Amino acid sequence: MEQVAIKKLRDNAILPAYGSAFAAGADLYACLEAPIALQPGKTAFIPTGLAMEIPVGFAGLVYARSGLASKKGLAPANKVGVIDSDYRGECTVALLNHSSVPQTIEPGDRIAQLVITPCLQVRFQEVENLSDTQRGTGGFGSTGIK
């Protein structure tokens, strides 16, 4: 099992935690001194109070927590945040209120989930032609609805 070194930047920071034995994502927690009211359509940068050392060859992907997004309309503004293995600053979640009412983020609230995943860095090679496939150049919706 891979290990991720984590540094607490503030005493009230909470280490990421998996909600179940087979959860893919570990919960990230708001490291706040006081609640924040987030107005509809607005984004707030919510600190986690954590910095981490993601192993080389991996990335940390920050996703919405399904319950928070579907029930309160709170999800990362950038849809999926990417934490590179060479980043050592504080992990912060840009949380957007998609709902039509103000939402409150309390200290210690679970605000997103972190998935550590293998990440390949590739060499891009310019070519004149690409191999043929059955799909070809069919784009959005080209594979049908069902």
Side-chain angles (χ1 to χ4, degrees):
M1 177 180 285
E2 291 291 332
Q3 183 170 315
V4 175
I6 293 186
K7 179 180 180 180
K8 280 188 172 186
L9 303 175
R10 287 185 284 290
D11 289 338
N12 62 334
I14 302 169
L15 294 180
Y18 292 99
S20 69
F22 299 107
D27 291 326
L28 292 175
Y29 299 84
C31 185
L32 301 169
E33 296 299 321
I36 291 178
L38 188 52
Q39 298 302 313
K42 299 297 181 185
T43 298
F45 292 91
I46 309 297
T48 65
L50 303 171
M52 58 187 71
E53 189 173 328
I54 295 172
V56 172
F58 291 80
L61 302 181
V62 179
Y63 291 99
R65 293 192 71 252
S66 59
L68 194 63
S70 62
K71 294 176 184 172
K72 289 191 168 187
L74 296 173
N78 53 345
K79 306 305 179 214
V80 178
V82 178
I83 304 170
D84 299 312
S85 64
D86 59 349
Y87 178 66
R88 296 294 183 270
E90 181 171 10
C91 295
T92 302
V93 177
L95 208 56
L96 171 62
N97 182 355
H98 292 276
S99 80
S100 59
V101 296
Q103 298 291 343
T104 301
I105 298 104
E106 299 281 346
D109 276 356
R110 295 177 295 169
I111 54 170
Q113 58 181 322
L114 174 67
V115 176
I116 304 294
T117 187
C119 185
L120 296 176
Q121 203 173 58
V122 299
R123 181 174 48 87
F124 294 96
Q125 179 182 352
E126 184 177 0
V127 297
E128 292 294 323
N129 297 298
L130 301 174
S131 63
D132 290 329
T133 66
Q134 184 176 2
R135 180 177 180 172
T137 59
F140 295 102
S142 67
T143 60
I145 296 172
K146 294 184 179 184

